[in-house]
């Protein structure tokens, strides 16, 4: 039937593109700066909506602590690399070899 065909044929063939899209969206979520800056400027009070990228750029340009911002950016890179590696490993299990 159609459900079995979807589970056995369509879903396994869609898995590689879904894996790439998930990883790209994950990486871009960590790099969100512009929405936070324009809408809330870091959030009410103690920066409730501030992201890692927002804190890096605010530290580097607003507070003029460029070295500390560079260290924060490298830590952000390591965090993104580890999370991306874990997600890739988990999502590649469901892919089929063509």
């Amino acid at each position: 039937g159609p459900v079995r065909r979807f589970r056995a044929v369509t879903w396994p063939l869609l898995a590689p593109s879904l894996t790439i899209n998930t990883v790209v969206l994950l990486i871009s979520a960590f790099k969100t700066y512009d929405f936070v800056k324009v809408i809330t400027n870091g959030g009410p009070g103690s920066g409730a909506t501030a992201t890692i990228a927002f804190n890096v750029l605010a530290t580097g340009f607003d507070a003029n602590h460029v070295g500390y911002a560079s260290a924060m950016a490298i830590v952000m890179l390591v965090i993104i690399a580890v999370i991306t590696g874990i997600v890739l490993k988990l999502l590649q299990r469901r892919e089929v070899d063509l």
Side-chain angles (χ1 to χ4, degrees), residues 9 12-16 95-98:
V9 177
L13 292 175
L14 284 175
E95 293 180 11
V96 294
D97 293 327
L98 297 176

Side-chain angles (χ1 to χ4, degrees), residues 19-31 76-92:
T19 299
I20 295 299
N21 285 330
T22 303
V23 169
V24 168
L25 285 173
L26 176 72
I27 291 171
S28 66
F30 274 101
K31 297 187 314 180
M76 183 175 96
L77 171 77
V78 170
I79 290 171
I80 292 172
V82 167
I83 292 175
T84 301
I86 292 169
V87 168
L88 273 174
K89 204 63 152 163
L90 290 174
L91 292 179
Q92 282 180 345

Side-chain angles (χ1 to χ4, degrees), residues 24-89:
V24 168
L25 285 173
L26 176 72
I27 291 171
S28 66
F30 274 101
K31 297 187 314 180
T32 303
Y33 169 77
D34 50 353
F35 295 123
V36 175
K37 183 68 175 172
V38 170
I39 295 173
T40 64
N41 199 20
S46 62
T49 60
T51 61
I52 298 173
F54 181 83
N55 287 333
V56 168
L57 290 167
T59 302
F61 292 111
D62 296 342
N64 203 20
H65 297 291
V66 179
Y68 186 61
S70 297
M72 289 171 62
I74 290 176
V75 169
M76 183 175 96
L77 171 77
V78 170
I79 290 171
I80 292 172
V82 167
I83 292 175
T84 301
I86 292 169
V87 168
L88 273 174
K89 204 63 152 163

